[in-house]
Structure formats: C-alpha cells, structure tokens
Amino acid sequence: MINLENFSEWYSEILERAEIYDVRYPIKGCGIYLPYGFKIRRYTLDILRRLLEERGHEEVLFPLLIPEDLLAKEGEHIKGFEDEVFWVTHGGKKPLEVKLALRPTSETAIYYMMKLWIKVHKDLPIKIYQVVNTFRYETKHTRPLIRLREIMTFKEAHTAHATGEEAENQVKEAIEIYKEFFHELGIPVMVSRRPEWDKFPGAQYTVAFDTIFPDGRAIQIGTVHNLGQNFSRTFDLEFETLEGGKDYVYQTCYGISDRVIASIIAIHGDEKGLVLPPQVAPIQVVIVPLLYKGKREVVEEKALELYKLLKEMGIRVEIDNRDIRPGRKFYHWELRGVPVRIEIGPKDLENKVVTIYRRDTEEKYQVRKEDIKEEILSLFERIKENMRERARERMERYITTLDFSEDTPLEEIVKEVRKNLKERKGVILIPYSERVYSEDLEEKVEASILGVTEYKGKKYVVVGRTY
RNA sequence: GGGCCUGUGGGGUAGCCUGGUCUAUCCUUUGGGAUUUGGGAUCCUGAGACCCCAGUUCAAAUCUGGGCAGGCCCA
C-alpha cells in the first residue's frame, strides 16, 4: 500500500497521511505537530518523565534566549555550535547591545544559574531536566523530525555532583534510563562511546545511542555526556567540600529529541502505515460496529457497553461510528497504527464473542465476551514484546561483523568495509585496533565511525552511514 | 561546500518545450443528499489551484531575472 522500498518517500507519506506532522510551514526545517502526532509525542514524553523522576530528576524551565557573552564563555563548546546559532539582533528597530542567541542547547544558561544555587556539598547533587525547543541553523538537508532547524522536543537533563565518581555513576544511571526508555518503545539500540573528534563540544566524553532505520542508515537518538569539570571551571561552579576544602562540581548532561518520535514511526511502521506500541498510541483500541439495517441498534448498544468497559480500565478507546463502509475504517485505523481493533457485528452477538484484530501481526480472532478484559491487557503485553523482538531482528540484519587480524593491510580493510557498506548497508563492526580507529578511516570508507562498542563479548569499531 | 532539478485545488498530476484554444485535465480529498455496510461501494449535486516579486509582450501557468520553498547527486 505504501511503498516501503523507498524509505524517504514512505516516511514523508506516513507523516502526512497519519496526520502526525505537517511539513508545509514556509520555513525550512520547521513544521507542525498535528494533534495525532502531538499525542504520540506526549505519551512518549510521559514515559521519559516517569523514568527520570523515579530516579530523582526534577523538571524545570529555562528561557529560550541566551546572551552572547554567556553562550561564548566556554571556548570549546561555542566552537562546536557557532556556525549554527540563530541570533536575535534587534528589539523592534533598535539593534541590541548584546545579541541574544536562540538556545542551540542550554548548558550555558543552566550553568550560569547553577553558580547561584551551589555553595556547599549539601547543595549537591543537582539533577534537573527540561523539555524545550532548541534551534540550529542547519544548512544541509533538513528532514521532518530528524534534522530540524527548530528542534521542538529536546529533553535535556543536567546534573552536578561533588565527585568525579558520582558523575561517573550518573552517566551510568542515565544510560540505564535511556536503555529502559528505548526498551519500553521497542526501539533497538547500540550504545557506543563516540570518538574524540565527534564528542559533544566541551565534554570529556560522549556515550551515544544509535538505531538503524529501514534504509540501513544509522541514526543517533540519544546522548549522554560526562562534562567533568570543563564547564564548572569556566562557570566557576565552586563549592565547599565535606572536608572543608574547595572544588569545582562534576557535571553530566544527556538528551533525547524529536528523533525518538521519528524512530517509533520508522522502526515499527510497515506498508500499511504506522504500527504504534500501545503505551504511546493515542488510541489503543478502536471499536468498529458493523451496522446492518435492522440490527443497527443492538450492535450499537453492545459497542457502547464495550466502550464503557474499556474506558473504565483506563484504556484509550474510541468507537468509529462514521457512516462509511467498514473496510474503509479498517484501513483508516491501520494507517494510524492503532494497536487493537475490535469488531462487533450481528454474527458476533449471536456467538457471544467479539472479533479482535491486532495491528502488529495482522491476526484476527474471536474472544468470548467475558474474557475481553483479561485478553486486552495480556494482548498489549504480547504486542509490545512482539514489536520489540521484530525490531531487534530487523536491526540485527543490518549489523555486519568483519574479522581482520593485526596484519591485514589497511587497504584491504578499507576495501572490505566499503564493499560491505554498499552491499549490506547498516553498520559494519571491525575488531578494535588503534590504526582503524581514526578520522582518516572515515574519509577512506566515506562513512562515520560511531564509536567503540561491545558486541557479543568483543570490542569493535562501529562504522556506518548516518543521518 | 559544489552541481543538477522542481514549484498548478488539501495530496498526486495533465498542460509549459512552441505565449492566445485555460472558463486549467484526470485521480484523490471535501460539503449536502440517496443508497449501502464482516476489507478502500455506487449515484446525484456542490467546493477547491497556476509559490512570491519584478521584467519582456497587445497577451504569461507557459519566456527572463531575483527571492522563498522543496527534491536529487557529489565532497
């Protein structure tokens, strides 16, 4: 129904037809979350908020504008962003004395304030996060929800700690949170430490989460940074230690963006449209009554009864009462990825059952009326599990492991990697060695080194084309 | 960063080369009505478009320049 061969085309068609995101706003890289898309976003963020708050994070909200001097304070950091900052230069007709940046990210804004908040070790740790829009003046191709000029959803967490060890543990916690988050969404990920040349500007090191899209390109969907004392030194985040001395705080930050929404769509979707994990589906169950003349009222009544039952269970349920043919409704809701559809018709009433259709496997089966409650709950679990498993398998097919020895000539490695990238797409894993782990190799194979990762107990360099 | 291409109702298109026949084609969408309903029904009747600015010309959807927006290829 929708061509899966051309991912790019499939993706834009889904966004439009499933009413997730409207790309037609007249500014490059800026679009609109439509109600349906917005709900997916909200339920996704609900999960993330829950996971963060369970582990002691608190939500805050910082201003969009950052004065130039503040943004420029950390040398390495600003270098990483200066070419892509949007500037507010005027107030009305008057030029501003200090230009104001639309935040490309909020480290500098937040750390300026942290200085006011931190005096002694008892003020630590601080674990805060916010969900905001950020801006990057992208010159390359923008892509809806993947490469935006206005990133509408950026969940950024920032922490400050009394010791390096604590910060290190915080990095681990963040990784755990994100792992759990992606697990909930059924999005398979690879976790790797980014190479020096590709880490977050100003960070000591960066750990990144990547998944692989159906076209075989890798995409970064989460990052965790250990900032050490880089920022705390420039922002003078000094505190009195337990022993009465002075030290600068140790910081971490980690972020998730709109790309998660793009991933939910891309990773699980099929030729019929979206397939949504139940936790983030705006409508979890849709009831389609089959209205034959003469038997209309009975069916409608039973549908309403069922609706009330599910509603009481806290399920997001709707009845589709539109006066169009059932087939049309089926396609409509399948396109939108509704996980479960329940059909009720005269035949079902006779047999005291309902007909259930699950979106992920496209199976249809009957359930006795009295078993519906239990069935739906366990079905949600089965759907989650199945989607996760299927996505994992799909990604595995895009992971190619190559085996080289220390004396394999570099040219041969390059040749093999290029060949495999071309034929198999996805990512190529090369046994770790220093001569391979260099920017030089990226140029030779015309792809990026995502980093170093553990895979099936061995250490590999991960290479792939990225978004 | 360099190169190529495109812009017509909400979406997809025909027309553009060779200006006039355009009151702009077809599919989809959409309002109203009839009929139908276990996988995209049908009929009747309405609605809806030449990206923006300037230029050439008696005349521009069509030609020229610029802007904006989008797509593709190479680094």
Side-chain angles (χ1 to χ4, degrees):
Chain A
M1 183 176 118
I2 309 173
N3 183 17
L4 261 176
E5 301 297 304
N6 183 343
F7 173 73
S8 229
E9 220 171 81
W10 176 88
Y11 180 68
S12 17
E13 207 164 328
I14 286 283
L15 289 180
E16 187 199 323
R17 289 177 50 183
E19 299 175 295
I20 296 162
Y21 186 84
D22 198 328
V23 301
R24 294 170 302 177
Y25 195 74
I27 297 177
K28 185 184 174 75
C30 297
I32 290 88
Y33 269 101
L34 298 169
Y36 197 72
F38 190 88
K39 283 179 190 135
I40 298 173
R41 172 183 180 274
R42 190 211 292 168
Y43 295 125
T44 304
L45 286 176
D46 280 352
I47 298 174
L48 192 50
R49 281 197 168 94
R50 193 194 80 223
L51 292 172
L52 286 165
E53 302 206 353
E54 276 172 5
R55 291 171 173 89
H57 298 70
E58 290 184 296
E59 187 163 8
V60 295
L61 189 56
F62 274 73
L64 165 66
L65 297 171
I66 302 177
E68 183 176 23
D69 47 328
L70 205 55
L71 186 69
K73 214 164 179 174
E74 214 285 335
E76 211 183 314
H77 182 65
I78 183 64
K79 254 194 210 147
F81 288 106
E82 61 190 350
D83 292 333
E84 40 187 44
V85 173
F86 272 99
W87 290 104
V88 176
T89 59
H90 286 72
K93 286 180 184 154
K94 260 191 249 158
L96 296 176
E97 291 198 1
V98 180
K99 283 195 289 178
L100 302 173
L102 301 185
R103 61 182 158 217
T105 173
S106 307
E107 279 70 19
T108 54
I110 294 178
Y111 303 161
Y112 174 86
M113 292 308 294
M114 274 193 183
K115 176 170 168 49
L116 306 178
W117 297 337
I118 300 169
K119 297 260 186 289
V120 296
H121 68 89
K122 282 201 144 187
D123 295 326
L124 299 170
I126 292 180
K127 291 161 77 170
I128 55 178
Y129 74 97
Q130 61 174 355
V131 182
V132 295
N133 54 350
T134 63
F135 293 81
R136 309 261 163 107
Y137 181 75
E138 296 286 352
T139 49
K140 287 185 210 156
H141 294 162
T142 57
R143 253 175 221 276
L145 303 183
I146 293 172
R147 189 178 292 278
L148 297 166
R149 278 186 169 175
E150 178 178 0
I151 296 156
M152 298 178 109
T153 312
F154 185 50
K155 189 291 298 166
E156 49 177 331
H158 298 267
T159 71
H161 307 269
T163 66
E165 196 193 343
E166 253 186 68
E168 194 63 42
N169 285 335
Q170 191 53 45
V171 165
K172 283 182 191 137
E173 181 182 272
I175 292 172
E176 277 317 302
I177 290 172
Y178 286 180
K179 274 188 178 165
E180 206 174 318
F181 177 59
F182 291 120
H183 180 81
E184 277 289 300
L185 297 172
I187 297 172
V189 290
M190 286 176 302
V191 185
S192 57
R193 187 158 166 157
R194 284 280 186 264
E196 266 311 285
W197 62 87
D198 202 26
K199 65 180 188 189
F200 179 71
Q204 251 174 25
Y205 65 87
T206 293
V207 174
F209 288 70
D210 297 283
T211 191
I212 303 177
F213 271 5
D215 61 352
R217 281 168 77 184
I219 180 168
Q220 172 177 306
I221 53 174
T223 47
V224 178
H225 316 288
N226 191 332
L227 304 177
Q229 293 178 308
N230 290 349
F231 283 88
S232 65
R233 283 177 196 278
T234 29
F235 283 85
D236 195 28
L237 300 183
E238 213 179 22
F239 70 102
E240 197 178 316
T241 62
L242 187 63
E243 299 78 23
K246 292 277 187 186
D247 197 3
Y248 293 102
V249 300
Y250 297 79
Q251 292 175 286
T252 77
C253 64
Y254 29 104
I256 296 271
S257 72
D258 293 297
R259 285 183 165 197
V260 180
I261 309 300
S263 305
I264 293 171
I265 297 163
I267 295 292
H268 299 304
D270 64 18
E271 68 291 334
K272 287 185 163 180
L274 278 183
V275 181
L276 292 173
Q279 321 92 281
V280 302
I283 299 171
Q284 297 171 306
V285 176
V286 66
I287 300 169
V288 177
L290 299 154
L291 305 169
Y292 289 85
K293 58 181 173 193
K295 294 182 181 163
R296 239 192 129 89
E297 283 74 19
V298 219
V299 172
E300 269 178 341
E301 191 188 309
K302 291 290 166 191
L304 193 63
E305 245 172 57
L306 181 59
Y307 172 86
K308 283 181 184 154
L309 175 78
L310 295 174
K311 197 85 185 171
E312 269 166 32
M313 292 168 65
I315 287 172
R316 300 190 284 269
V317 56
E318 289 213 356
I319 301 183
D320 188 346
N321 268 327
R322 291 175 299 169
D323 185 24
I324 50 177
R325 308 191 61 155
R328 182 96 174 267
K329 295 180 185 177
F330 299 165
Y331 283 103
H332 178 93
W333 297 114
E334 282 161 19
L335 171 65
R336 282 162 184 75
V338 175
V340 176
R341 177 175 77 231
I342 301 181
E343 301 168 23
I344 302 188
K347 278 186 217 160
D348 297 307
L349 292 191
E350 263 171 53
N351 303 325
K352 294 194 180 359
V353 297
V354 296
T355 301
I356 290 186
Y357 169 91
R358 59 185 275 197
R359 177 66 181 88
D360 63 328
T361 58
E362 302 183 45
E363 288 168 289
K364 229 174 183 181
Y365 60 95
Q366 262 88 35
V367 172
R368 288 188 315 185
K369 276 190 58 188
E370 56 272 28
D371 297 337
I372 291 175
K373 235 173 150 166
E374 268 171 54
E375 172 59 21
I376 294 293
L377 290 181
S378 88
L379 179 57
F380 280 178
E381 288 311 308
R382 269 143 50 211
I383 289 174
K384 275 167 77 170
E385 194 54 42
N386 174 256
M387 288 178 65
R388 178 154 55 226
E389 211 30 58
R390 195 164 65 176
R392 160 66 48 192
E393 276 165 26
R394 183 135 76 135
M395 186 168 96
E396 292 289 338
R397 288 202 293 274
Y398 268 136
I399 298 176
T400 307
T401 313
L402 297 181
D403 201 10
F404 299 112
S405 69
E406 269 306 320
D407 33 67
T408 311
L410 194 62
E411 303 88 74
E412 197 188 315
I413 296 179
V414 168
K415 207 177 126 203
E416 273 298 299
V417 170
R418 288 182 73 115
K419 180 173 150 240
N420 278 279
L421 274 173
K422 193 160 184 231
E423 286 169 6
R424 303 193 47 92
K425 307 239 173 63
V427 297
I428 312 298
L429 304 190
I430 316 168
Y432 180 84
S433 85
E434 290 210 8
R435 65 201 178 112
V436 166
Y437 191 56
S438 74
E439 258 182 298
D440 196 40
L441 184 89
E442 288 192 327
E443 269 175 46
K444 287 189 172 127
V445 300
E446 293 176 313
S448 304
I449 293 180
L450 301 183
V452 180
T453 197
E454 290 260 329
Y455 186 71
K456 296 185 177 159
K458 272 179 78 179
K459 204 171 163 194
Y460 289 98
V461 175
V462 189
V463 181
R465 289 194 217 285
T466 61
Y467 267 96

